Amino acid sequence: MNVRIEDSWRRVLQPEFDKPYFELLTDYVRQEYRTCRCYPPAGLIFNAFDSCPFDRVRVVILGQDPYHEEGQAHGLCFSVNDGVEVPPSLKNIYREIQRDLGTPVPESGNLQRWADQGVLLLNATLTVRAHQAGSHQGKGWEELTDAVIAALNREREHVVFMLWGSYAQRKGQFIDRRRHLVLQTSHPSPLSVYRGFEGCGHFSKANNYLIQHGLQPINW
């Protein structure tokens, strides 16, 4: 199947695109977008990949589901469009960056600037029906994003994986800790931020690791 996605990711993921599950997934998503309001806009479903080519990935942040309200999702996990109120989880992420690195809290919740620096902002499920969290789970996206993580684990070295919450940790449990840095803590949502995310120092730890391996740190 020919998928409109950044060229380096097409090379890596073409074996997945040719599998039966992906054809079924594509048929399902097309039907959903024809008959229901879905997010993100169809042209931004693969925005995380288009913004961050395979060979430029230095950090992976793993989310679960796109935002499901009007104007929020644009294909990058935890990120919202300019002008949209910063969601609670992202507010907590920003507070931890400020505590960790001493940088001011941005006014915008748009994380495109991270993606442009090599941060793959990957949701496990890439689409969702409006107002229905988790509505496109279990349709095949998770198999594709497992393949994404497996390819980075296999073909790249010294990638930082930030796995926040039990879901992300299960999804990344096979990552080779000898070749990559895996940072794990609770999810930054208001319900769990106090269980470890607050004070985790993941952003300085990521940058220190990148510098130690001769790579450019992220301007968080």
Side-chain angles (χ1 to χ4, degrees):
M1 180 178 293
N2 184 27
V3 177
R4 293 182 182 178
I5 194 171
E6 192 274 333
D7 285 344
S8 65
W9 282 108
R10 180 183 293 109
R11 173 188 63 79
V12 170
L13 296 176
Q14 190 61 54
E16 299 301 309
F17 298 154
D18 292 335
K19 290 180 180 178
Y21 86 85
F22 191 79
E23 183 175 357
L24 293 173
L25 169 63
T26 301
D27 290 343
Y28 171 80
V29 170
R30 284 174 176 161
Q31 179 66 14
E32 283 285 284
Y33 272 74
R34 277 196 298 266
T35 59
C36 309
R37 186 181 295 275
C38 296
Y39 302 119
L44 295 177
I45 291 173
F46 293 113
N47 190 25
F49 305 98
D50 296 336
S51 299
C52 187
F54 181 78
D55 294 330
R56 292 189 57 226
V57 176
R58 284 179 283 157
V59 178
V60 178
I61 298 179
L62 186 61
Q64 187 166 350
D65 215 31
Y67 295 120
H68 52 80
E69 299 299 336
E70 178 69 31
Q72 292 180 310
H74 64 127
L76 307 177
C77 75
F78 292 105
S79 180
V80 292
N81 284 300
D82 290 322
V84 176
E85 183 179 358
V86 178
S89 291
L90 184 53
K91 285 181 181 178
N92 287 331
I93 292 170
Y94 280 169
R95 289 190 189 104
E96 177 56 22
I97 293 172
Q98 183 182 45
R99 189 211 62 80
D100 189 17
L101 300 175
T103 54
V105 173
E107 293 183 6
S108 173
N110 191 331
L111 302 181
Q112 184 68 48
R113 65 190 183 281
W114 292 3
D116 293 341
Q117 296 179 75
V119 181
L120 181 66
L121 295 163
L122 180 66
N123 275 316
T125 303
L126 300 187
T127 57
V128 68
R129 190 183 292 184
H131 318 304
Q132 297 184 38
S135 50
H136 288 183
Q137 292 178 6
K139 304 297 183 182
W141 282 129
E142 295 90 344
E143 189 168 347
L144 177 69
T145 51
D146 280 348
V148 170
I149 298 168
L152 289 166
N153 178 60
R154 181 179 64 248
E155 298 186 29
R156 297 289 312 282
E157 290 187 347
H158 310 313
V159 174
V160 180
F161 291 86
M162 294 183 174
L163 306 180
W164 300 331
S166 58
Y167 180 88
Q169 289 161 22
R170 287 194 301 271
K171 197 167 176 70
Q173 62 187 354
F174 61 84
I175 297 167
D176 187 346
R177 270 69 170 171
R178 297 166 298 180
R179 299 178 60 194
H180 306 287
L181 177 63
V182 178
L183 299 173
Q184 298 188 169
T185 189
S186 65
H187 195 276
S189 74
L191 294 176
S192 57
V193 66
Y194 302 110
R195 298 176 187 166
F197 186 87
E198 190 175 67
C200 68
H202 279 187
F203 303 94
S204 60
K205 290 175 182 176
N207 278 352
N208 289 338
Y209 178 84
L210 294 171
I211 291 168
Q212 288 169 10
H213 291 90
L215 300 169
Q216 189 73 18
I218 305 298
N219 179 12
W220 299 107

